[in-house]
Amino acid sequence: MTPMTRRELLRTAGAATALLSLPEFSAGADEPPKGYALPKLPYAYDALEPHIDAKTMEIHYTRHHQAYVDNLNKALTGTEWAGKPVEEVLVNLDKLPEKIRTAVRNNGGGHFNHTLFWQMMSPKGGRPSVPFTDAVAGSFRDLTTMLTQLKEAGLGRFGSGWAWLVLKDGKLKVMSNPNQDNPIMDAAGQAVLGVDVWEHAYYLKYQNKRADYIDAFSQVINWEFVSQRYETLAKG
Ligand code: MN3
């Protein structure tokens, strides 16, 4: 094998450096990166076993969530909305060009929902805070009743979607949305807790038994995160 000339070596090293420093989203050469990126998963793929299996977590995160991120970036590239906080984009869907509106609704919703969803679960979920417990008691009698309603909403969703615990005008309520819709899209409130009831979230382990999956989900809820989220949202 011919040893590399100094010139070749420099060229190769330069190419490698350029590749590494490539922004996650290719804007113009002088513009900062404007794209969305997959957030870091706050635990290992197998951390929620046996309730949520490692294979499902890995595929859900690296393929499904990644696809929402990639397609959102693709849809928004070259528009004034590229790089805006995803929440801001989702509450302004009616202002987006019509030809990208559906793609942004689906993929922006997918990115936003899953970013929340990963944080709403944890191997050590802690306990609901007193202010959150009181708010749940005010709207549902108790936590168990709220979780039962959340499960019913998830089971009642035909096809793919989400069941949510939502804060709207200081009150907590349960609702469900189709596809990757989030309550903020229709000004229905802010999601405090949510469960993904797309088959991709549970089929490998639970097959068609969505009820068993929702029960398992309720075992890994990150009550500390959910309580904090409630308290932050309640302050307005
Ligand atoms: Mn999903």
Side-chain angles (χ1 to χ4, degrees):
M1 180 176 122
T2 333
M4 260 188 197
T5 63
R6 185 173 153 74
R7 185 188 295 259
E8 280 171 332
L9 193 69
L10 283 173
R11 200 192 303 135
T12 311
T17 309
L19 200 66
L20 283 173
S21 62
L22 204 67
E24 57 185 73
F25 179 82
S26 42
D30 300 315
E31 292 173 51
K34 281 184 169 178
Y36 302 97
L38 200 59
K40 194 172 156 28
L41 198 65
Y43 36 75
Y45 297 137
D46 64 357
L48 306 178
E49 293 263 14
H51 308 290
I52 309 291
D53 63 288
K55 195 78 196 157
T56 297
M57 276 303 302
E58 183 179 353
I59 295 172
H60 201 172
Y61 171 73
T62 62
R63 303 206 204 150
H64 293 276
H65 191 168
Q66 183 71 60
Y68 299 128
V69 168
D70 293 345
N71 290 325
L72 177 62
N73 282 333
K74 208 180 292 174
L76 287 180
T77 192
T79 74
E80 57 175 314
W81 297 91
K84 293 240 165 83
V86 65
E87 224 172 322
E88 187 186 331
V89 176
L90 296 180
V91 298
N92 287 296
L93 284 173
D94 57 334
K95 299 196 182 78
L96 292 174
E98 206 192 327
K99 66 177 188 339
I100 60 166
R101 200 176 297 152
T102 303
V104 173
R105 184 177 193 108
N106 291 337
N107 294 291
H111 177 40
F112 185 55
N113 291 343
H114 287 83
T115 300
L116 284 174
F117 187 54
W118 310 134
Q119 298 174 84
M120 287 166 171
M121 297 185 287
S122 172
K124 40 180 196 313
R127 301 180 65 81
S129 71
V130 172
F132 177 63
T133 306
D134 287 349
V136 168
S139 299
F140 300 95
R141 192 171 69 216
D142 55 29
L143 214 60
T144 308
T145 309
M146 183 276 284
L147 286 173
T148 303
Q149 287 191 26
L150 189 73
K151 181 178 176 181
E152 283 165 1
L155 292 176
R157 168 56 48 197
F158 183 78
S160 298
W162 292 73
W164 303 107
L165 173 68
V166 167
L167 182 66
K168 165 82 169 165
D169 300 329
K171 287 279 285 180
L172 287 168
K173 63 177 179 179
V174 161
M175 62 181 288
S176 94
N177 284 131
N179 308 316
Q180 293 296 348
D181 284 6
N182 182 285
I184 56 168
M185 292 176 181
D186 307 308
Q190 284 276 3
V192 174
L193 171 64
V195 55
D196 183 347
V197 297
W198 283 57
E199 279 187 347
H200 70 222
Y202 62 88
Y203 205 84
L204 285 182
K205 184 175 169 83
Y206 296 97
Q207 292 83 48
N208 60 326
K209 300 187 287 284
R210 189 186 281 185
D212 291 357
Y213 155 69
I214 299 176
D215 287 341
F217 166 80
S218 70
Q219 298 297 309
V220 293
I221 294 173
N222 186 348
W223 290 115
E224 208 174 304
F225 173 81
V226 171
S227 298
Q228 268 172 21
R229 184 165 166 82
Y230 164 75
E231 289 175 40
T232 304
L233 293 170
K235 277 184 213 136

